[in-house]
Amino acid sequence: MSRPAMIGSAPDSWEVWFPDDPLQVPWERFLDEVAAAGYTRIELGPYGYLPTDPARLRDELATRTLTYLLSCGPLR
């Protein structure tokens, strides 16, 4: 029996390259749009772009039924 492919996205698909550039898409919008597009998994992108507090990050992802696959920085 085959399983469906689980695909994800990353902030760089939304042209996010730095953690704090005011010209980039805000992180809340990124998460909302990723979820609305039907993705279920994300890369966290540059450290500091998404919340760095693990509990808050978990809550923000769970609210949108998202999980992360990969981090570009430390997760504590």
Side-chain angles (χ1 to χ4, degrees):
M1 177 192 295
S2 64
R3 296 174 55 189
M6 301 279 193
I7 59 172
S9 191
D12 61 350
S13 297
W14 270 253
E15 298 185 14
V16 172
W17 305 108
F18 305 101
D20 60 357
D21 185 336
L23 299 177
Q24 296 177 144
V25 173
W27 66 265
E28 297 94 334
R29 180 175 159 195
F30 163 70
L31 292 179
D32 290 342
E33 290 182 2
V34 166
Y39 293 103
T40 58
R41 289 160 173 57
I42 63 164
E43 174 191 311
L44 298 182
Y47 184 77
Y49 176 64
L50 295 174
T52 56
D53 174 63
R56 177 149 188 224
L57 179 60
R58 271 191 302 273
D59 290 346
E60 294 291 347
L61 295 176
T63 299
R64 297 164 177 90
T65 318
L66 294 170
T67 58
Y68 72 89
L69 296 171
L70 171 60
S71 169
C72 296
L75 291 176
R76 296 185 183 115

